[in-house]
Amino acid sequence: MHLERFLENTELQKYSNFLMEHEAKALLEKYGIRTAKCIFVREEDELLEALKKTGFPAVLKIASRKIPHKSEVGGVRFVNNEEEALKSFRELMEMEFAEGVNVQKKLEAGLEIFLGISQDENFGPFLALGLGGFFLEALKTYSVRLIPVSRKDVEEMLREIPDVFEYRGKVFDREAVIELALKLSEIVEREKILEMDLNPVFLYEKGYAVVDAKIFFGERKSFERRKKIPILNPRKIAVIGASDKPQKVGYAIIQSLKMSKNVEICPVNPNLKEIEGIKVFRSIDDLPEVDLAIIALPAEKVVESVESLIGKAKEALIISAGFREAEIDEGKERDKKLRELSEKITIIGPNVFGFVNLVDEINASFTP
């Protein structure tokens, strides 16, 4: 059953938002993703017909919308002949919540990897990629990117996980991993998928096969949600305390912003007219309205600057230190005043690095 047909069935929607394995794999196959295909059976004669197609050894798995984690309930059986298959089938069908059994051919083992999809409340869907099996347990390393992902994103992800693609004399197919990750990104953009877990995926010297798949569906927040968080996507940025001296933080921030994409920089310094060809404003009062103001001033000047930014900037990001973290009375008092001002303007900080938005290519930090 494809996902769109499942979504049309209101009775099934009431029962669960989980696709059984054969349904999940049918959806993946629709997008050209290679899987260890399942044959869903409910009767013994159906089982025997399915085994004629898969041959032995085979794998029998309980199918139920209420059991996403089959192995945890003893719902996966490896069988080598009809007698073992019939015995395992009867036992699986007697388990609570069993709706049927999925039959699949036992595949030749490959390098085990996993790919997963999940949701972040603020940033939307993301893709996780890592090594599976022994490597997942031993190394516990994986890489994450927001969806949609590009080829460059996936290549970077592969560099961030341990390189075992040449292992025990075999060279495994990196290109197949990239292809699979890009197709998963496409599926999530087109379908109502909340979570997906492909684990394990067997990677071979040529190609791959998804051995197990779990998919949860439902309404999710728009991909554009993260675009609507102004702090992450400012287009006009003021730098209060901008400098033309390379040793100053105000200079480093300018360099970071110059490397950003589609950003208008509005430096503020009463003693400068321009910085590397960028017009400098003498004061905050001279500024146009901006999305974000980055403050890199001595601590004693920060509160006054934030007060002046009310009505000029939507957010203030304070790089400066010397507040509560300094554990001095003056710092605690400044911190208290900033908290009061936060009722009138959004404040990030103080004493922060800034932020880097890799999706929209904005570096609002002091590390170019």
Side-chain angles (χ1 to χ4, degrees):
M1 181 186 296
H2 289 308
L3 182 58
E4 60 266 27
R5 289 176 57 196
F6 192 99
L7 292 172
E8 290 170 1
N9 190 322
T10 55
E11 289 304 313
L12 289 179
Q13 289 183 56
K14 292 176 184 176
Y15 190 48
S16 174
N17 67 338
F18 172 66
L19 294 181
M20 290 188 285
E21 185 175 349
H22 61 289
E23 297 166 339
K25 287 181 175 177
L27 176 63
L28 296 175
E29 292 278 351
K30 171 185 170 182
Y31 284 88
I33 292 175
R34 296 182 290 279
T35 73
K37 294 181 178 63
C38 290
I39 303 174
F40 179 71
V41 301
R42 287 195 176 98
E43 305 292 340
E44 290 186 8
D45 59 341
E46 294 175 341
L47 169 69
L48 296 176
E49 284 299 314
L51 289 169
K52 290 178 182 178
K53 297 177 181 178
T54 63
F56 292 102
V59 186
L60 274 57
K61 305 179 186 180
I62 189 170
S64 171
R65 300 197 191 286
K66 293 190 175 183
I67 307 178
H69 303 290
K70 300 176 285 291
S71 58
E72 293 181 6
V73 298
V76 179
R77 308 291 174 86
F78 296 92
V79 297
N80 295 297
N81 53 57
E82 282 191 8
E83 183 180 353
E84 291 180 6
L86 286 167
K87 180 176 182 294
S88 294
F89 174 79
R90 292 163 187 157
E91 291 172 350
L92 292 172
M93 289 299 292
E94 289 175 359
M95 294 178 67
E96 187 176 15
F97 304 126
E99 298 177 52
V101 170
N102 274 312
V103 184
Q104 75 179 49
K105 180 180 179 62
K106 184 180 179 183
L107 299 182
E108 175 189 354
L111 175 65
E112 292 188 29
I113 63 173
F114 82 90
L115 293 96
I117 303 292
S118 193
Q119 304 287 323
D120 180 273
E121 182 178 353
N122 291 315
F123 301 108
F126 62 86
L127 170 73
L129 165 64
L131 300 175
F134 162 80
F135 294 106
L136 178 60
E137 293 300 319
L139 303 176
K140 299 185 186 301
T141 56
Y142 55 90
S143 181
V144 173
R145 289 292 186 280
L146 291 175
I147 289 174
V149 297
S150 66
R151 182 182 184 85
K152 180 182 177 183
D153 291 329
V154 183
E155 289 172 346
E156 289 176 350
M157 294 172 80
L158 289 173
R159 288 195 290 270
E160 292 171 6
I161 63 176
D163 186 358
V164 293
F165 289 90
E166 295 184 24
Y167 182 65
R168 293 181 177 176
K170 294 183 178 180
V171 180
F172 295 97
D173 194 346
R174 286 174 176 268
E175 186 63 31
V177 181
I178 296 172
E179 173 193 327
L180 175 56
L182 293 176
K183 286 183 177 178
L184 290 185
S185 180
E186 177 187 359
I187 292 175
V188 175
E189 289 189 89
R190 293 188 178 189
E191 305 282 359
K192 296 180 179 180
I193 290 174
L194 293 176
E195 293 187 16
M196 182 188 301
D197 181 15
L198 308 186
N199 186 22
V201 176
F202 283 172
L203 186 63
Y204 302 111
E205 292 176 274
K206 184 68 175 176
Y208 66 88
V210 176
V211 179
D212 197 10
K214 301 179 184 69
I215 295 178
F216 294 85
F217 70 90
E219 295 295 334
R220 53 175 168 72
K221 296 173 183 176
S222 168
F223 283 106
E224 296 303 312
R225 176 177 169 79
R226 63 177 178 268
K227 302 283 188 181
K228 298 176 183 178
I229 303 176
I231 182 59
L232 291 181
N233 198 34
R235 291 302 163 191
K236 186 176 288 189
I237 303 176
V239 181
I240 318 301
S243 176
D244 60 355
K245 295 180 172 56
Q247 68 271 27
K248 296 288 188 178
V249 172
Y251 178 84
I253 295 169
I254 295 291
Q255 299 309 307
S256 295
L257 292 174
K258 285 176 65 178
M259 296 168 60
S260 301
K261 187 176 181 180
N262 298 325
V263 167
E264 181 181 346
I265 308 170
C266 302
V268 176
N269 187 313
N271 302 314
L272 298 174
K273 292 185 177 180
E274 67 173 44
I275 298 175
E276 298 183 358
I278 303 172
K279 176 186 174 181
V280 176
F281 295 86
R282 291 184 57 81
S283 70
I284 292 174
D285 290 340
D286 294 331
L287 279 173
E289 290 189 9
V290 297
D291 298 314
L292 174 69
I294 303 175
I295 301 176
L297 293 171
E300 61 270 17
K301 296 183 178 180
V302 169
V303 172
E304 180 184 355
S305 295
V306 173
E307 289 174 335
S308 299
L309 285 167
I310 295 172
K312 282 279 187 179
K314 297 174 183 176
E315 287 94 14
L317 192 157
I318 304 172
I319 302 290
S320 314
F323 294 81
R324 185 174 56 177
E325 85 287 348
E327 297 184 351
I328 57 175
D329 291 341
E330 294 92 334
K332 293 176 181 177
E333 183 61 27
R334 294 179 195 125
D335 196 87
K336 179 181 177 182
K337 290 180 179 177
L338 286 181
R339 289 175 181 273
E340 293 171 356
L341 289 172
S342 68
E343 297 293 326
K344 300 177 181 179
I345 182 174
T346 300
I347 297 176
I348 300 91
N351 192 21
V352 296
F353 163 82
F355 73 85
V356 178
N357 178 346
L358 295 176
V359 174
D360 299 302
E361 300 182 38
I362 299 174
N363 185 350
S365 75
F366 54 83
T367 303

